[in-house]
Amino acid sequence: MFVQHMIAVLKADGKMATIMPHGVLFRGGDESDARKHFIDRGWLEAIIGLPAGLFYGTGIPACVLVINKKDAATRKHVFFINADREYLEGKAQNYSSTGRHLQDRARLPHDERRFPVTRAVFRVSEIIKEDYNCNVRRYVDNAPPPEPHDVRAHLHGGYAHR
C-alpha cells in the first residue's frame, strides 16, 4: 500500500526508489497483484537486491524498487542488480560494500571483471513466464560455483593426486 501511494502521487514523468523487504518480490496474494500491475504498466524499471542485516534491528534481506513513469508505456524489460553478497559485517548491522558503486554498476557496460554476474536485463515476457516472481536470485544468481569433488578420493579415501 505504501508503494502504491508513492506511485499515485508521482508525476507522469517521475522516478522514485524505495527500500522494501525482499519478500515483496515473490510472495503471492496482494503483493503478487501489485507486482503484476507495476510490471504490466512498465513502471518497474529496476530491482536491486541488498544483503541481509543491512538495516539496524532486522536481519532480513531487502531490495530497492526503482519506479519510473517516464516512457513506461514502451518499457518492456526490468533491470536486475544482485548486490546481496557484497557487504561488510558489523556488530549490530552489516554495511554495504558497494553502495557507492551501484550507480556505476547500472551505467557502465557489462564488465565481468568488475561486476561478475551481478546484473542483467530481462524482458517482461520472461518475467511473465515466471508468474511475475521477481526474486533477484532467480534472474541473477551470484552464488559462487560449487567446489569440484574428486569422486575417486571420496570412494577410496585420501586426497586426490593431480
Side-chain angles (χ1 to χ4, degrees):
M1 199 164 48
F2 181 62
V3 175
Q4 290 172 324
H5 172 71
M6 291 189 299
I7 292 172
V9 298
L10 196 62
K11 292 181 181 178
D13 62 346
K15 190 174 199 174
M16 62 165 247
T18 185
I19 297 174
M20 299 297 293
H22 196 258
V24 302
L25 301 176
F26 53 83
R27 283 192 292 250
D30 291 341
E31 289 172 322
S32 177
D33 295 341
R35 280 193 312 274
K36 183 180 185 311
H37 185 79
F38 302 158
I39 291 168
D40 288 346
R41 281 162 182 68
W43 294 341
L44 184 60
E45 182 176 39
I47 299 171
I48 304 169
L50 300 174
L54 195 60
F55 299 102
Y56 187 78
T58 182
I60 63 171
C63 65
V64 177
L65 301 179
V66 179
I67 305 292
N68 187 357
K69 283 190 173 179
K70 185 177 182 182
D71 301 324
T74 60
R75 186 172 298 113
K76 301 295 180 208
H77 62 275
V78 177
F79 187 53
F80 289 84
I81 298 176
N82 192 348
D84 70 352
R85 298 178 59 81
E86 301 173 29
Y87 64 93
L88 304 171
E89 287 192 30
K91 280 187 176 183
Q93 71 187 71
N94 293 331
Y95 299 91
S96 173
S97 62
T98 60
R100 66 179 185 262
H101 304 297
L102 283 175
Q103 209 170 29
D104 290 341
R105 197 178 285 253
R107 290 185 180 158
L108 295 174
H110 193 65
D111 182 347
E112 289 296 327
R113 292 178 309 264
R114 287 187 64 193
F115 310 117
V117 197
T118 58
R119 64 188 192 154
V121 175
F122 284 88
R123 295 188 154 289
V124 168
S125 60
E126 295 173 277
I127 298 169
I128 292 170
K129 286 179 187 174
E130 297 293 332
D131 200 26
Y132 292 91
N133 183 326
C134 291
N135 188 340
V136 176
R137 281 226 171 163
R138 182 176 290 251
Y139 301 95
V140 186
D141 188 0
N142 63 348
E147 290 187 30
H149 290 273
D150 185 341
V151 175
R152 206 172 283 144
H154 285 299
L155 292 173
H156 301 292
Y159 295 101
H161 299 287
R162 294 184 191 247

